């Protein structure tokens, strides 16, 4: 709290601007120089904040990150700005004009909601985190739409808000928490709060949540950004039972049609690697239907087809070789093809990509991708390259 208070003073703000682009390798020299003119605790706070802002650029973009205030946990656990903006648009499209953002953290989601024109009550029980959220609302010119309250979310009355958004803490002293009832607050409490919302509610949860744990009156959405799965969200008051995968940028959304599992078939000319959000949402069958394909193996999310059809929900590869798992044969094939740039992907194989690279020692001017997987239960290697769609 003292560090943040120091940084919010005129001297602190000026020092933050001065150290903004400090190279971590030069931090000690910069600190030594600045301590001749500024208090040591202020210099340490400014350099620490500069490091956090540099880390935050990947989530918030350079323009916002250089003005915002962060805590170490805030940088690590806050929602990526692109994901928060997408969710805020969904709320706005539902006609929501006010949201109670419970467990708001440093305010990433509150900022996105306010920028969508939504009035926000942002609540967090940690004093430093709440202070950072308040400072961020002010720094980004959104204080008129964001009220930050330091409180236990269980004691906050949300009756005056159209919607509720809850982002429970999913990390503890020993790392990531996998039991939803061990979240803070527990998922059951968050579900109860969501059901009381007049118009809509969204609960941010871990992408690995079992589908059977999704309440019957909720819709479930898995979100990826740039191919990386970021989170899952339970939506209330929208489409009960709906399952979707949303890919950013875009957004592009694939809805479940309740299709049965695809048939297993021999490898075709093309292999499709579904986006992680599609896999988490159990929508591989929808992708297989789009590309007129089947599965290489009943337990693995690789789709194969003789047809090349562009789809945003999977990356297509043209397969040139299908081999039983044999490192010597693969090494000989790569040497014959003069492959030096080798991408190794695996699903259903215990072999690590780096281990395989060391054994085959790729050399040459050409590139290839090898998939370590199973075909109808048997270990296999499929060699190919990204398809030209």
């Amino acid at each position: 709290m003292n560090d943040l208070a120091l940084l919010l003073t005129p001297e602190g703000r000026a020092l933050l601007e001065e150290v903004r682009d400090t190279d971590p390798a030069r931090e000690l020299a910069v600190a030594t120089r600045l301590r001749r003119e500024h208090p040591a605790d202020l210099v340490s706070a400014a350099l620490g904040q500069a490091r956090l802002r540099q880390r935050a650029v990947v989530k918030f973009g350079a323009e916002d990150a250089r003005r915002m205030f962060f805590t170490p946990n805030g940088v690590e656990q806050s929602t990526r700005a692109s994901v928060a903006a997408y969710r805020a648009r969904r709320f706005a499209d539902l006609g929501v004009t006010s949201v109670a953002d419970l467990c708001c953290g440093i305010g990433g989601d509150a900022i996105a909601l306010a920028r969508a024109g939504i009035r926000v009550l942002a609540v967090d029980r940690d004093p430093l985190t709440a202070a950072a959220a308040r400072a961020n609302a002010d720094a980004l010119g959104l204080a008129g739409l964001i009220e930050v309250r330091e409180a236990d979310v269980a004691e906050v009355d949300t009756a005056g808000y159209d919607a509720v958004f809850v982002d429970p803490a999913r990390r503890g002293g020993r790392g990531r928490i996998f039991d939803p009832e061990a979240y803070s607050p527990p998922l059951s409490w968050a579900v109860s709060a969501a059901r009381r919302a007049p118009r809509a509610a969204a609960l941010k949860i871990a992408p690995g949540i079992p589908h059977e744990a999704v309440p019957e009156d909720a819709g479930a959405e898995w979100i990826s950004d740039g191919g990386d799965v970021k989170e899952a969200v339970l939506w209330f008051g929208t489409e009960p039972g709906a399952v979707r995968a949303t890919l950013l940028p875009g957004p592009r959304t694939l809805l479940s049609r309740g299709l049965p599992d695809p048939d297993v078939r021999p490898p075709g000319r093309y292999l499709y690697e579904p986006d992680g959000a599609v896999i988490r949402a159990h929508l591989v069958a929808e992708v297989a239907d789009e590309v007129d394909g089947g599965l290489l193996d009943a337990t693995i999310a690789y789709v194969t087809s003789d047809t090349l059809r562009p789809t945003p929900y999977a990356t297509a590869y043209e397969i040139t070789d299908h081999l039983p798992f044999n490192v010597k044969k693969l090494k000989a094939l790569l040497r014959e093809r003069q492959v030096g740039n080798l991408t190794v992907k695996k699903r259903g194989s215990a072999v690590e990509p780096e281990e395989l690279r060391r054994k085959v020692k790729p050399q040459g001017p050409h590139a290839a991708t090898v998939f370590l997987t199973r075909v109808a239960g048997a270990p296999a290697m499929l060699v190919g390259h990204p398809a030209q769609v």
Side-chain angles (χ1 to χ4, degrees):
M1 287 293 292
N2 290 338
D3 285 355
L4 183 57
L6 289 172
L7 295 175
L8 292 174
T9 65
E11 183 182 9
R13 292 178 184 275
L15 191 58
L16 271 175
E17 186 64 24
E18 184 175 347
V19 302
R20 182 179 70 188
D21 299 319
T22 299
D23 185 336
R26 296 193 62 253
E27 202 170 276
L28 180 59
V30 171
T32 301
R33 174 177 59 80
L34 290 175
R35 282 171 183 156
R36 300 182 190 125
E37 303 173 9
H38 303 280
D41 53 352
L42 176 59
V43 172
S44 296
L47 287 169
Q49 190 61 221
R51 285 196 303 272
L52 293 175
R53 286 178 167 183
Q54 290 168 6
R55 285 172 52 195
V57 167
V58 67
K59 280 191 173 183
F60 290 90
E63 183 63 23
D64 281 352
R66 72 178 182 84
R67 294 186 288 166
M68 292 174 66
F69 295 87
F70 299 96
T71 65
N73 284 342
V75 173
E76 181 71 24
Q77 299 176 19
S78 58
T79 303
R80 184 178 289 257
S82 55
V83 178
Y86 162 72
R87 182 165 39 244
R89 287 195 301 273
R90 277 207 70 183
F91 270 123
D93 290 344
L94 292 168
V96 168
T97 61
S98 60
V99 172
D101 178 2
L102 308 180
C103 310
C104 69
I106 61 166
D109 281 281
I111 289 165
L113 289 163
R115 283 175 168 168
I118 296 172
R119 179 171 59 90
V120 186
L121 170 64
V123 183
D124 203 284
R125 69 181 179 183
D126 179 69
L128 176 57
T129 303
R134 190 174 294 111
N136 288 335
D138 183 64
L140 299 179
L142 298 169
L145 282 170
I146 301 175
E147 174 194 349
V148 179
R149 190 179 301 175
E150 179 192 326
D152 187 325
V153 295
E155 299 173 359
V156 174
D157 182 7
T158 62
Y161 295 84
D162 292 343
V164 167
F165 172 64
V166 190
D167 182 4
R170 296 180 299 283
R171 287 183 179 274
R174 296 185 177 181
R176 193 178 300 275
I177 296 170
F178 295 97
D179 177 8
E181 285 307 296
Y183 291 174
S184 180
L187 182 60
S188 58
W189 180 91
V191 168
S192 296
R195 287 172 175 157
R196 293 193 298 269
R199 180 160 296 197
L203 311 182
K204 180 177 171 181
I205 54 176
I209 186 171
H211 280 232
E212 55 269 23
V214 175
E216 291 183 0
D217 56 339
E221 179 177 33
W222 281 261
I223 302 172
S224 68
D225 188 10
D228 294 328
V229 181
K230 295 302 178 184
E231 63 184 56
V233 184
L234 301 182
W235 288 92
F236 291 81
T238 55
E239 303 169 273
V243 176
R244 65 178 69 209
T246 295
L247 282 55
L248 302 175
R252 300 177 184 274
T253 296
L254 181 65
L255 283 168
S256 171
R257 291 183 280 137
L259 299 179
D261 290 340
D263 292 333
V264 175
R265 53 152 291 177
R269 182 176 177 183
Y270 298 99
L271 181 148
Y272 291 84
E273 182 182 28
D275 183 272
V278 171
I279 296 173
R280 293 281 195 174
H282 296 180
L283 300 181
V284 174
E286 278 71 10
V287 169
D289 186 63
E290 278 196 13
V291 302
D292 191 24
L295 296 179
L296 288 173
D297 184 274
T299 63
I300 295 176
Y302 280 144
V303 175
T304 186
S305 175
D306 294 314
T307 305
L308 179 59
R309 292 182 180 168
T311 172
Y313 305 112
T315 302
Y317 294 84
E318 185 171 4
I319 300 303
T320 56
D321 300 271
H322 168 207
L323 309 170
F325 186 84
N326 187 305
V327 174
K328 288 184 178 180
K329 288 185 178 180
L330 178 64
K331 183 175 182 178
L333 176 67
L334 297 177
R335 186 187 302 117
E336 177 187 336
R337 304 276 173 81
Q338 296 184 307
V339 172
N341 182 3
L342 181 65
T343 300
V344 181
K345 292 178 171 286
K346 66 170 224 168
R347 191 164 289 161
S349 172
V351 179
E352 292 300 324
E354 286 305 318
E355 177 189 353
L356 184 70
R357 285 194 191 91
R358 285 195 301 270
K359 289 182 177 179
V360 300
K361 300 176 182 176
Q363 293 181 2
H366 300 139
T369 300
V370 60
F371 293 87
L372 306 178
T373 187
R374 293 194 301 271
V375 172
M381 301 182 295
L382 278 67
V383 182
H385 52 79
Q388 300 298 317
V389 180

